[in-house]
Amino acid sequence: MNPIFIALGLLGGVVSASASIRAGEEKRNQKYQEAIDTDIERKAAALSAQQQQNARLRDYAEVKSMNEAFFAYSGRSKSDRSVKAFLDYNRETAYEDVTRIANTSLIKDLQFKTHANNLKRAGDFAQSASYATAFSTIISAGLNTARSA
């Protein structure tokens, strides 16, 4: 067989292997970028949860002040059992809401972290697979060239 064709066969295998490696590296880069985007979403969700908690506590403080003013206007003191029970119930409800928001935020945070880690792992595996494919391509090109020579 003509040595030019042998060289072209080997060169084709090397070019194909190189393209496989570049594709794997690009896939890895894409997955890592997705992981970065997921981390940004995670931080935005945490910030949103903090804002919700703050808003709920502000609402509670505002409603508490209005209720205390109403009870004072109607001549009932904070030591009145029904007034105290009403205010205690509202306080407990507000803090339960804040706790619920915090727990939901924690669960979302863990989901985002897991997703980001899975994306990175997928990118790493894609890159590893591209190396294996490239190696296999070079071996195949060498064997095919040796058979046809």
Side-chain angles (χ1 to χ4, degrees), residues 85-116:
F86 178 78
L87 294 175
D88 287 347
Y89 175 77
N90 284 338
R91 186 187 74 248
E92 289 170 12
T93 301
Y95 284 101
E96 284 173 5
D97 290 346
V98 169
T99 301
R100 190 173 15 264
I101 293 167
N103 290 341
T104 301
S105 175
L106 178 62
I107 290 168
K108 285 183 181 180
D109 186 68
L110 293 173
Q111 289 172 335
F112 280 124
K113 283 181 180 178
T114 300
H115 184 61

Side-chain angles (χ1 to χ4, degrees), residues 32-80:
Y32 269 67
Q33 184 59 50
E34 287 180 46
I36 289 169
D37 294 343
T38 299
D39 193 49
I40 291 169
E41 286 181 58
R42 178 183 67 83
K43 290 176 182 176
L47 181 61
S48 175
Q50 186 65 48
Q51 290 171 340
Q52 289 174 4
Q53 288 174 318
N54 291 341
R56 181 62 179 105
L57 291 174
R58 260 192 317 274
D59 290 346
Y60 164 68
E62 184 179 324
V63 168
K64 180 183 175 194
S65 294
M66 287 189 305
N67 285 330
E68 287 173 345
F70 174 75
F71 289 132
Y73 175 76
S74 62
R76 299 176 75 183
S77 73
K78 288 188 205 177
S79 60
D80 185 322

